[in-house]
């Protein structure tokens, strides 16, 4: 696994809530339809709905979730 893995995964994955396309934004995969953001932890996107950040919240955090500090 390398740093490009989340970017490649983003082309394969869809938002579990609305099935919209997701794109890598900082430390998140962001849904381009409903705006939910799923954290990417050690290169692995957590696509569980309970892990998702609501629309706008990840942007306010600079797309950093702080779990790698
Ligand atoms: Zn969505």
């Amino acid at each position: 696994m390398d740093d490009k893995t989340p970017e490649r995964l983003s082309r394969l994955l869809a938002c579990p809530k609305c099935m919209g396309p997701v794109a890598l934004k900082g430390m998140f995969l962001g849904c381009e339809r409903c705006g939910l953001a799923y954290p990417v932890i050690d290169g692995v996107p957590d696509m569980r709905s309970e892990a998702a950040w609501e629309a706008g919240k990840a942007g306010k955090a600079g797309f950093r979730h702080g779990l790698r500090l």
Side-chain angles (χ1 to χ4, degrees), residues 15 18 31 34:
C15 172
C18 73
C31 175
C34 71

Side-chain angles (χ1 to χ4, degrees), residues 14-22 30-38:
C15 172
K17 186 184 179 204
C18 73
M19 301 307 286
V22 294
C31 175
E32 304 197 318
R33 189 176 294 169
C34 71
L36 286 180
Y38 300 88

Side-chain angles (χ1 to χ4, degrees), residues 1-61:
M1 187 173 289
D2 57 52
D3 288 345
K4 288 286 184 190
T5 301
E7 192 179 326
R8 283 197 292 264
L9 281 171
S10 74
R11 296 189 212 117
L12 301 171
L13 293 169
C15 172
K17 186 184 179 204
C18 73
M19 301 307 286
V22 294
L24 188 65
K25 294 176 183 175
M27 299 169 83
F28 290 86
L29 280 180
C31 175
E32 304 197 318
R33 189 176 294 169
C34 71
L36 286 180
Y38 300 88
V40 178
I41 298 164
D42 290 337
V44 180
D46 189 341
M47 304 300 286
R48 295 171 303 145
S49 58
E50 62 264 38
W53 289 35
E54 62 192 63
K57 192 177 157 195
K60 283 182 196 143

